[in-house]
Amino acid sequence: MTDDILHVTAPEWADPEHTAINLTVQFANQAEPVPFAATQSDPEPYGVELFVRARFGEYGEVAPYQAPPTPIPTEEEQQRELARRLQLAGDAIAPLGDAELLGILTPAETSRLTALRLYRVTLSRLPETPGWPTTVDWPELPA
C-alpha cells in the first residue's frame, strides 16, 4: 500500500499527547488529496509507516497541536441556558418568598432571598449586555 502513496503534506499533531499526526495524503487511487490521521498503532501498516516517517520529519516539521476553537453559542442556546438559570432561581426563591409573606423569614433567609432576587434580575438583564449572545459572563447562583 505504501506504493500507492504519491505525496504527503501538512503534518500536524492531532492531539496534545502526540499519539496521532494529521496529514494530507495523495493516494494513487484518489483523484484528490485526502485528510489522513496516522498513528503508531494503526491497524494498517501504511498508517504506521506514515506516522513514523512524519514523526521523523520526512514530510516537513510536524506542526504543533491546535485545539479546535470553542464553538460560538447561538442566540437560541443562550436563551435556553438563561431560561434554565432563571428557573433555578425561581425555584429557590419560591419557598423563601412564601416565608416572607408569612412573616417567618429568618435573618439568614432574608439575606439569601435578597441575593437570589438580585441574581434573577442580573440574569434577566443579560440579553441587554454588550456581547450577548456570544460572550456572556454568567453570574454564580448564590449559595
Side-chain angles (χ1 to χ4, degrees), residues 16 34 39-40 42 47 49-51 56 69 72 75 81 83 97 99 101 106 108 115 121 124 128-129 136:
V34 294
T39 67
Q40 202 167 11
D42 197 297
E49 183 177 341
L50 283 168
F51 178 85
F56 288 100
I72 297 171
E75 174 77 26
E81 179 62 15
L101 285 172
T106 67
V121 168
S124 70
E128 303 163 14
T129 60
V136 179

Side-chain angles (χ1 to χ4, degrees), residues 24-27 30-35:
T24 301
V25 180
Q26 176 66 60
F27 291 100
Q30 300 275 329
E32 297 291 324
V34 294

Side-chain angles (χ1 to χ4, degrees), residues 96 99 104-116 142-143:
L96 295 173
I104 57 172
L105 204 60
T106 67
E109 290 172 330
T110 300
S111 294
R112 177 152 166 70
L113 181 58
T114 300
L116 285 165

Side-chain angles (χ1 to χ4, degrees), residues 10 12 16 31 36-37 42 53 56 58-59 64 66 68-70 90 93 96-97 112 141:
E12 178 182 273
F36 186 88
D42 197 297
R53 292 170 76 178
F56 288 100
E58 189 170 325
Y59 310 122
Q66 293 184 19
T70 303
I93 288 170
L96 295 173
R112 177 152 166 70
L141 179 66

Side-chain angles (χ1 to χ4, degrees), residues 1-2 7 17 22 29 32 36 38 40-41 49 58 61 76 80-81 84-86 92 102 104 117 125 128:
M1 181 70 178
T2 56
H7 192 66
E17 297 79 25
N22 290 328
N29 63 351
E32 297 291 324
F36 186 88
Q40 202 167 11
S41 59
E49 183 177 341
E58 189 170 325
E61 183 178 345
E76 183 179 317
R80 276 196 306 269
E81 179 62 15
R84 184 187 74 78
R85 290 174 184 245
L86 285 168
L102 295 169
I104 57 172
R117 285 178 170 159
R125 291 179 177 169
E128 303 163 14

Side-chain angles (χ1 to χ4, degrees), residues 3 18 26 31 61 72 87 90 97 132:
D3 294 342
H18 292 184
Q26 176 66 60
E61 183 178 345
I72 297 171
Q87 180 66 49
W132 176 271

